[in-house]
Amino acid sequence: MIVQFCGMSGAGKTTLARFAEQKLRAAGCPVEVLDGDECRGRLFKELGLSMEDRAENIRRLAWLASRFSRHGIFTIICAINPLDHVRREITKTYGIAATIQIDCALEELIRRDTKGLYKRAFLPEGHPDKVYGLSGVNGVFEHPMAPDLIIRTDQQSEAECGNRLYEMLLPLALGMAVR
């Protein structure tokens, strides 16, 4: 089973993936989180932030996830994952793949600005520190057409969001272990 997250930078994807990972492990489920930032920094250094490279990054993460899944490891792909056609492609290619949208209002993302990206994306054109291609601001972010779950991190606490995610994922992870 592959679970693919999608959501803008700072929405809480990594936080919720790690929360679910801990709880699933405590419940006896083998689980792995493939974090987009970590994999990009360690495995896919040659990929940039073009739409083609972003799509390739997700395809590679999904392929890795499928290898883990074949060995009974429940795998969460934790990445911005901005393109709906790529998310649908992953589901079609690997069969059992759930899509979880980690959503947060732009105003809250700007307030959080965990990486300083929003501040830099709103700099004037031509500024040397301006960030271009920030998903959902000056870059593409397509909301999924039919996500299996939407979690609004700006409307519930981290614990509430994490528990809601865990309650959805646990039966999937347990079902995978039975196979």
Side-chain angles (χ1 to χ4, degrees), residues 68 81 102 114 117 143 177:
F68 284 122
N81 202 356
I102 310 298
T114 54
L117 296 173
H143 291 275

Side-chain angles (χ1 to χ4, degrees), residues 164-176:
R164 193 163 161 237
L165 176 63
Y166 171 71
E167 289 169 10
M168 187 262 191
L169 295 180
L170 182 61
L172 299 175
L174 290 174
M176 184 177 164

Side-chain angles (χ1 to χ4, degrees), residues 68-98:
F68 284 122
S69 182
R70 277 199 321 195
H71 297 285
I73 300 169
F74 188 80
T75 308
I76 300 170
I77 298 171
C78 179
I80 291 173
N81 202 356
L83 301 171
D84 195 52
H85 77 275
V86 174
R87 292 187 295 262
R88 287 184 278 120
E89 174 188 322
I90 298 312
T91 300
K92 184 178 178 182
T93 301
Y94 298 107
I96 304 172

